[in-house]
Amino acid sequence: MEQVQSSENIRREVSRSYTRAVEAPSRSTCCGAAPAAQKGLVVQSAGYTADELRALPPDAVQNSFGCGNPVAFSDVREGQTVVDLGSGAGIDILLAGRKVGPSGHVIGIDMTNAMIERARRNVAAAGMTHVEVRKGTIEQLPVESGTVDWVISNCVINLSPEKPRVFAEIARVLRPGGCMMVSDLVARDLPAAVRDSPELYCSCIAGAIPEEDYLDGLRAAGLVDVEVRERLTYDHGQLIEFVRSEAGGPPCCGGDADAPAATVEDIATALAGKVHSVRIFARKP
């Protein structure tokens, strides 16, 4: 019961954090996000092309909090069904919507009301009637079993306090032969001070698990052909900016907005070489 309550608390605080981020994008940023004026550069560095971004509503781009582009190297085809775990303001469901076309179907899942409202507004602005957003958690997807061709996700699964349930849900909703392509953060040998930090949990670091555990979890859920297709290791300078985005803004998950620069430096030093952005593929047999 204590674990359930803890998981519920984590989800509640993560949702609050992202509500603050989307309502005050010039101050609070999570998962490597940046002030709105810099957002185009951030999402391009995550693998989105300038042409892709120009075709989307600006709000979907400015409120993207991902660490990669899970649609870029997937084989999503016209007429397929795609589910996005943690769809946020909608950048990836819109890109997927362009790939599947009007004969396909894209479902975004998010638990944060502010994000759902933004995403629905952006979907309407894009005129994509075959794209929808549903409220729910990624541990219990509001999606029928065996109906999905692709599951995508962008820097969200690391935030779940119950990752085995997420992996099981991915396997459940995929149809036989269906695939997943997710961008996420993985980490190894994190100091206890990092693991116990609410700020760093909401910023996608403290909740990240080792790459091998991530892959083993997908296999345990029944998925096959599990592999990392791309990996980026954050260096010291990148980690300083990553952590400073949390320490310099409003409290995330109840954290201290006035964390001294030395603390940021110490955290970045402790994390150097241990945090990676990965793109992971798997298939349901």
Side-chain angles (χ1 to χ4, degrees):
M1 188 65 179
E2 291 181 359
Q3 178 61 40
V4 172
Q5 182 61 35
S6 175
S7 297
E8 291 175 352
N9 287 340
I10 288 172
R11 279 189 283 269
R12 181 165 52 249
E13 295 303 333
V14 168
S15 184
R16 288 175 180 170
S17 172
Y18 280 84
T19 297
R20 286 193 293 267
V22 76
E23 290 179 348
S26 64
R27 297 185 64 203
S28 179
T29 55
C30 297
C31 284
Q38 302 175 19
K39 266 305 188 144
L41 296 176
V42 171
V43 291
Q44 285 186 55
S45 70
Y48 298 93
T49 68
D51 286 342
E52 286 177 325
L53 301 180
R54 277 194 295 270
L56 301 178
D59 184 78
V61 177
Q62 293 173 2
N63 287 290
S64 172
F65 299 100
C67 57
N69 179 353
V71 183
F73 300 104
S74 64
D75 294 321
V76 174
R77 298 190 303 273
E78 187 172 349
Q80 292 187 320
T81 297
V82 178
V83 167
D84 182 14
L85 310 187
S87 48
I91 186 170
D92 293 316
I93 58 175
L94 293 175
L95 290 176
R98 294 179 64 192
K99 296 193 78 170
V100 303
S103 62
H105 188 198
V106 179
I107 304 168
I109 307 296
D110 210 285
M111 65 178 181
T112 302
N113 289 330
M115 285 295 189
I116 293 170
E117 180 183 349
R118 288 292 182 100
R120 287 175 175 166
R121 189 186 312 162
N122 290 326
V123 167
M128 292 190 181
T129 57
H130 59 293
V131 177
E132 65 169 307
V133 184
R134 300 177 184 176
K135 184 172 183 177
T137 68
I138 62 175
E139 296 88 359
Q140 190 173 358
L141 296 172
V143 178
E144 187 178 349
S145 300
T147 60
V148 176
D149 296 292
W150 282 92
V151 170
I152 62 173
S153 185
N154 194 344
C155 205
V156 171
I157 296 175
N158 72 82
L159 292 168
S160 172
E162 299 175 285
K163 294 174 181 63
R165 290 185 62 191
V166 179
F167 299 147
E169 281 292 273
I170 292 173
R172 179 184 67 79
V173 302
L174 283 174
R175 66 175 83 251
C179 302
M180 61 150 265
M181 180 75 79
V182 303
S183 295
D184 212 349
L185 289 188
V186 294
R188 58 177 176 82
D189 302 328
L190 296 182
V194 171
R195 284 285 182 202
D196 295 338
S197 167
E199 298 93 334
L200 294 177
Y201 198 102
C202 290
S203 66
C204 304
I205 294 178
I209 60 177
E211 181 179 302
E212 56 270 27
D213 292 352
Y214 204 115
L215 303 185
D216 287 345
L218 291 169
R219 295 187 186 104
L223 300 177
V224 299
D225 299 334
V226 180
E227 63 178 356
V228 174
R229 293 196 169 177
E230 186 172 329
R231 183 186 297 103
L232 169 67
T233 301
Y234 289 105
D235 62 26
H236 183 265
Q238 290 170 316
L239 286 164
I240 286 179
E241 293 306 315
F242 200 97
V243 176
R244 185 176 289 146
S245 72
E246 287 303 319
C252 173
C253 299
D256 180 3
D258 300 318
T263 300
V264 175
E265 173 70 28
D266 291 344
I267 292 173
T269 298
L271 295 178
K274 299 178 179 180
V275 180
H276 317 271
S277 173
V278 292
R279 184 177 285 112
I280 298 175
F281 172 87
R283 179 177 61 85
K284 182 174 180 176

